[in-house]
Amino acid sequence: MKPGLPFLEALLFLLGPAAGDLGTPGPSPSSLPLTDFTSNVVSGSSSSSSRSFGASSSKGSSRGSSSGSSREFSNFTGSKDDRGTCLCSVALPDTTFPVERMEHLEITARILSQKFEKELSKVKEYVQLISVYEKRLSNLTVRVEIMEKDSISYTELDFELIKIEVKEMEKLIIRLKDTFVGSSVIVDQLEVEIRNMTLLVEKLETLDKNNVLSIRREIAVLKNKLKECEASKGENIPVGPPPPAPGTCAHGGVVNISRPIIVQLNWRGFAYKYGAWGRDYSPQNPDKGLYWVAPLNTDGRILEYYRLYNTLDDLLLYVNAREYRILYGQGSGTAVYKNNMYINWYNTRNIAKVNLTTNTVAVTQTLPDAAFNNRFSYANVAWQDIDLAVDENGLWVIYSTEASTGNIVISKLNDTTLVVLETWHTKQFKPSVSNAFMVCGVLYATRTLNTRTEEIFYYYDTNTGREGNLHIVMQKMQENVQSINYHPFEQKLFVYNDGYLLNYDLIFDQEPR
């Protein structure tokens, strides 16, 4: 054997356990510095210390035999320092297979695969749910559009059903947002659309174009009154006399009044509490007059818009309306006679006659000495110093003057020229009266008893000059009565009550006075 082979065998023997352990990852191929190789050749013996390797030949050699030692190690690549320590670099191949790492990688891959399948199933489920709710949202959109265009078909139940469906979709969106990590464009878009749908439904319910819901809510308030009506069946209530022929005065005056019939809320809504309404009366065509509604602006003073309807059905259904605008109306003392509207001209004591066919002013005329601009208006009703009225005899105006010290003055007008034909002075103070109307030349005045009751308490007969007190209880829907207009052919009162349009049937005495 060559002198270098024992040294190499000893080196591989010592390194073998570390390099041959397949269970532990080995080092990468690198230069492995091996130090402390000490050659102790003393008297033919060799010795090794910890991590120190010695080599000797069969022949003894001494420390001084440097040439022999040099010859023994001459076949090995390396170097020896001045102390005799051999420095050698050995490159070992990385033959160790990382089993534990591979197992850990397989487990991690399996767990990730399971999580992925789980999340993928969730995504599939939510995609299906989103598809279903997209269709429902589309159906809701169609239904809401129909409700926007339709005038009478929807009810409160329709709103409630839509609200429930929208809430279900809101819950789904919350679940989706909580489950998804990060941002989802589809979910965000759906959330915005559902929020817009909620706002639209609330807006529709608030606007309530045909006021069905608002009136139904008021019906709940009226149920107590219906109970009172049922309870009063057993009481001895006098039966009213049959009405006189329409448009005639063959009776003894008003002796009673029916309960109110709620027609509807005015077309402009709850905020428009002041105004007037009625039906045109023409002696030539007494049963063919159009219906008119003239709510004041929210300031309770300016009459700017009014609507005309050919029939009561059109008014009830808000269809076939003709809407007009004027810039000079003031107060709720409006009256309509022979297809002309009569109003108080803004900020003056003038009366204007407006042709309803053309919406143009035909005539204006000053009412002599009339107080105006809230000088002597009705109680709880402003800007109605000049109140125009119609009855079987024609056109009238109810007002006050400074000379009358605020007492009611009645004047008969020429409906063509608006000239005063005749005037009567009463002893009734106008600001203590809540409203007034004319029937067959007789003035009837009302006053407030409480928030639900008025009383027709005073009359003045221009035919005889007599005046006196009455006690006719008049139920009402809301607290304040803004205007009362009488229709001779129907023998009804058209009352504007805090924005509501009411009807009353008058009951007359059979015996003429």
Side-chain angles (χ1 to χ4, degrees):
M1 181 179 294
K2 291 183 180 182
L5 291 178
F7 176 80
L8 181 58
E9 290 176 354
L11 178 61
L12 294 175
F13 175 78
L14 291 176
L15 293 176
D21 188 2
L22 296 177
T24 305
S28 303
S30 61
S31 296
L32 179 63
L34 299 177
T35 61
D36 297 331
F37 289 100
T38 305
S39 176
N40 296 318
V41 184
V42 180
S43 303
S45 65
S46 65
S47 64
S48 62
S49 63
S50 174
R51 300 285 183 185
S52 299
F53 308 95
S56 64
S57 64
S58 58
K59 298 180 181 180
S61 61
S62 66
R63 184 181 295 272
S65 303
S66 59
S67 61
S69 176
S70 175
R71 286 193 300 268
E72 292 176 348
F73 293 97
S74 62
N75 294 328
F76 294 92
T77 302
S79 63
K80 186 168 61 176
D81 62 10
D82 56 356
R83 292 181 298 177
T85 302
C86 181
L87 303 177
C88 180
S89 297
V90 179
L92 298 177
D94 186 6
T95 59
T96 303
F97 185 78
V99 176
E100 292 183 358
R101 290 185 180 181
M102 186 62 184
E103 291 177 350
H104 180 70
L105 181 61
E106 288 179 350
I107 294 170
T108 303
R110 190 181 306 112
I111 294 172
L112 288 176
S113 178
Q114 292 173 353
K115 289 184 177 179
F116 175 77
E117 291 295 334
K118 184 178 179 180
E119 294 301 322
L120 183 60
S121 64
K122 286 184 179 179
V123 170
K124 291 179 179 177
E125 177 187 353
Y126 287 136
V127 167
Q128 292 176 353
L129 286 174
I130 288 173
S131 176
V132 171
Y133 279 97
E134 278 183 334
K135 293 179 181 177
R136 294 178 66 178
L137 187 62
S138 177
N139 292 336
L140 277 177
T141 304
V142 174
R143 288 167 59 187
V144 171
E145 288 176 354
I146 292 173
M147 290 170 64
E148 279 186 295
K149 296 175 182 177
D150 203 346
S151 58
I152 62 170
S153 63
Y154 59 91
T155 64
E156 190 167 10
L157 179 60
D158 293 326
F159 283 115
E160 293 303 322
L161 291 176
I162 289 179
K163 285 181 179 178
I164 291 172
E165 292 188 38
V166 173
K167 286 180 180 178
E168 289 179 359
M169 287 190 288
E170 286 177 347
K171 291 178 182 178
L172 173 66
I173 287 299
I174 292 173
R175 285 172 54 197
L176 290 174
K177 294 195 75 174
D178 291 341
T179 305
F180 284 163
V181 178
S183 175
S184 173
V185 177
I186 296 178
V187 174
D188 293 340
Q189 288 178 348
L190 276 176
E191 185 181 23
V192 172
E193 289 186 25
I194 290 172
R195 189 183 304 115
N196 292 339
M197 179 69 70
T198 304
L199 296 175
L200 181 57
V201 172
E202 291 176 355
K203 184 178 179 181
L204 274 177
E205 188 176 21
T206 303
L207 292 177
D208 185 19
K209 287 198 276 188
N210 62 359
N211 304 298
V212 172
L213 301 183
S214 60
I215 293 177
R216 286 181 179 174
R217 293 188 184 104
E218 295 297 340
I219 288 175
V221 177
L222 294 176
K223 284 184 178 179
N224 292 331
K225 294 184 178 182
L226 293 176
K227 290 179 181 178
E228 294 176 4
C229 184
E230 290 291 331
S232 65
K233 283 184 177 179
E235 300 177 3
N236 294 324
I237 301 176
V239 179
T248 69
C249 293
H251 54 75
V254 178
V255 294
N256 210 341
I257 191 170
S258 71
R259 289 181 175 271
I261 299 172
I262 303 169
V263 177
Q264 64 177 194
L265 186 69
N266 80 89
W267 55 274
R268 299 190 74 182
F270 292 104
Y272 297 85
K273 295 182 177 294
Y274 302 89
W277 85 293
R279 187 181 183 189
D280 178 25
Y281 175 68
S282 175
Q284 290 75 26
N285 298 291
D287 59 339
K288 295 183 179 180
L290 52 80
Y291 292 84
W292 57 274
V293 183
L296 304 183
N297 289 350
T298 52
D299 60 3
R301 178 179 183 180
I302 298 174
L303 171 58
E304 186 175 2
Y305 295 97
Y306 67 91
R307 277 188 177 182
L308 305 177
Y309 302 87
N310 290 328
T311 66
L312 182 61
D313 287 342
D314 288 347
L315 187 150
L316 290 173
L317 301 177
Y318 292 95
V319 296
N320 303 322
R322 302 191 302 278
E323 184 174 323
Y324 298 98
R325 186 186 184 201
I326 56 178
L327 300 174
Y328 41 79
Q330 174 172 285
S332 52
T334 308
V336 175
Y337 183 59
K338 295 181 179 179
N339 200 45
N340 293 292
M341 178 177 285
Y342 298 87
I343 60 174
N344 176 206
W345 194 282
Y346 181 80
N347 203 35
T348 69
R349 59 170 56 93
N350 294 347
I351 299 173
K353 175 183 176 181
V354 182
N355 187 307
L356 294 182
T357 302
T358 61
N359 190 41
T360 56
V361 178
V363 179
T364 59
Q365 186 65 257
T366 300
L367 184 61
D369 302 323
F372 64 101
N373 281 358
N374 265 347
R375 175 58 175 153
F376 296 114
S377 186
Y378 292 127
N380 304 319
V381 183
W383 311 105
Q384 201 171 345
D385 302 80
I386 298 175
D387 184 16
L388 293 143
V390 173
D391 71 354
E392 292 83 353
N393 298 332
L395 182 64
W396 302 81
V397 59
I398 305 166
Y399 61 106
S400 293
T401 64
E402 295 294 339
S404 70
T405 62
N407 289 345
I408 292 176
V409 176
I410 308 167
S411 291
K412 183 73 170 60
L413 298 177
N414 182 308
D415 61 90
T416 302
T417 63
L418 301 182
V419 173
V420 174
L421 302 178
E422 193 173 354
T423 299
W424 295 262
H425 293 80
T426 74
K427 297 178 181 178
Q428 179 59 50
F429 187 54
K430 188 171 184 285
S432 67
V433 172
S434 61
N435 227 280
F437 59 95
M438 300 291 297
V439 177
C440 290
V442 180
L443 170 79
Y444 293 91
T446 64
R447 64 184 175 187
T448 301
L449 297 182
N450 54 55
T451 58
R452 288 292 180 267
T453 309
E454 295 278 305
E455 179 188 33
I456 301 175
F457 76 102
Y458 173 81
Y459 75 92
Y460 184 94
D461 191 345
T462 61
N463 302 296
T464 62
R466 293 185 299 180
E467 58 187 329
N469 295 321
L470 299 169
H471 179 64
I472 302 174
V473 175
M474 179 179 174
Q475 303 295 329
K476 57 186 176 180
M477 176 73 181
Q478 297 291 330
E479 184 172 353
N480 297 315
V481 172
Q482 275 74 32
S483 68
I484 302 176
N485 283 285
Y486 171 67
H487 192 271
F489 184 80
E490 293 191 28
Q491 297 175 340
K492 291 179 181 290
L493 296 183
F494 290 76
V495 177
Y496 197 98
N497 181 201
D498 276 345
Y500 284 90
L501 314 183
L502 308 183
N503 263 158
Y504 296 82
D505 291 317
L506 292 179
I507 300 172
F508 300 96
D509 188 358
Q510 287 182 315
E511 297 295 329
R513 290 179 181 175

